[in-house]
Amino acid sequence: QAKDSGRNAVRFFDPLMQQAVEARVTLENDLRHALPNDQLQLYYQIQVDNDRRAIGAEALVRWIHPIRGMVSPAHFIPIAEETSLILEVGAWVLKTACLQLAVWADRPMTCNLILAVNVSVQQFKQVGFVEHIAELIRAYCIVPQRLKLELTESVVLNDVSDIVQKMCALKSLGVRLSMDDFGTGYSSLSYLKNLPLDQLKIDQSFVRNIATDENDAVMVKTIIAMAQNFRLNVIAEGVETEAQLAFLKQNGCMCYQGYYFGKPAPIEQFQSQLEALSKTV
Ligand code: C2E
Ligand code: MG
Ligand code: MG
Ligand code: MG
């Protein structure tokens, strides 16, 4: 333990808190080695339309830790976001996703799929982000409309004119833009009229109790109506049950993602899901 003593300079009275801080520092250090050691992997989760046809997928990063096994992105992405590690992780995700799009382009079953990639605030704010995307599109000969970037409302909290300009530049490349976890952030409605979005993504926290919680039901109906009025596509995430799907459909939702249609899976498994789905529609 002698070699760890330097890190233990800060001591908390509460041993549990001490433990939590140490665990976090360890995880952050481990994360630095994740990329060079090939521990990151992309999972793909299917997205379908009202006819249950596959329209695309969301790429979701996984960290296969040598000791802990799979670490959830909900856990390590926030850590990466507090350091500049998110830039490396984000660049790797984008590159891997673009490579996958290039592979899909060669096969009839996958050539029309749209791949959605999560982009964090830091990454989006980075100087040269648009050029980086343009470069990837060129390098992998990607049809730009096949690439969708998922932004969160926290992106919009920043210097709005810079954000709008970047989003417009991405739009002129042909890339699609989706607002992830819509309704959970601190956003104002006014950004809907200023931002060149293609899609609103209804957060799963609203979808979860859609059939039993009147407030959630109203929230979801309102988001769908808003999307329709602004001529935006709308997708619901976290669809797990037939009842949720029925409610969403009835209220005009256009696209769906959730365990009901398929869990995020490694690429081979995702491809099997696609094949199975194509036989049922
Ligand atoms: P998100 O972008 O909102 O992704 C949706 C999350 O909901 C995913 O969790 C997905 O596995 C989960 N999910 C999908 N369908 C269902 C369902 O029917 N029921 C339930 N209970 N959950 C469902 P995941 O993969 O753990 O990712 C968590 C979050 O981590 C993502 O939320 C996203 O914010 C972030 N993330 C994941 N990959 C990346 C990435 O490559 N870059 C960045 N910046 N963030 C990422
Ligand atoms: Mg997302
Ligand atoms: Mg989401
Ligand atoms: Mg979410």
Side-chain angles (χ1 to χ4, degrees), residues 164-216:
V164 172
Q165 198 214 318
K166 272 189 165 162
M167 287 176 76
C168 289
L170 287 165
K171 278 318 300 170
S172 34
L173 290 178
V175 170
R176 292 179 209 242
L177 300 174
S178 179
M179 188 56 74
D180 202 356
D181 306 336
F182 186 74
T184 61
Y186 301 94
S187 51
S188 91
L189 273 184
S190 71
Y191 79 62
L192 283 182
K193 90 173 185 214
N194 297 321
L195 299 184
L197 287 167
D198 296 282
Q199 183 181 65
L200 300 183
K201 195 164 190 185
I202 305 171
D203 192 65
Q204 53 182 285
S205 63
F206 304 124
V207 174
R208 195 168 302 129
N209 303 316
I210 220 175
T212 51
D213 184 320
E214 185 57 28
N215 288 334
D216 285 339

Side-chain angles (χ1 to χ4, degrees), residues 41-43 45 58-62 71-78 81 86 89-90 92-94 117-121 123 150 152 180-181 201 203-204 208 237-241 244 257-264:
Q41 203 182 326
L42 279 193
Y43 273 35
Q45 187 177 29
E58 178 175 9
L60 294 156
V61 71
R62 297 289 179 263
V71 184
S72 163
H75 192 55
F76 77 85
I77 290 290
E81 275 171 346
I86 191 64
V89 172
W92 179 85
V93 168
L94 273 170
V117 180
N118 295 284
V119 175
S120 81
V121 185
Q123 205 183 348
E150 290 194 2
T152 53
D180 202 356
D181 306 336
K201 195 164 190 185
D203 192 65
Q204 53 182 285
R208 195 168 302 129
E237 73 177 10
V239 180
E240 294 185 356
T241 68
Q244 291 166 341
Q257 178 183 344
Y259 296 169
Y260 185 71
F261 302 100
K263 291 198 170 180

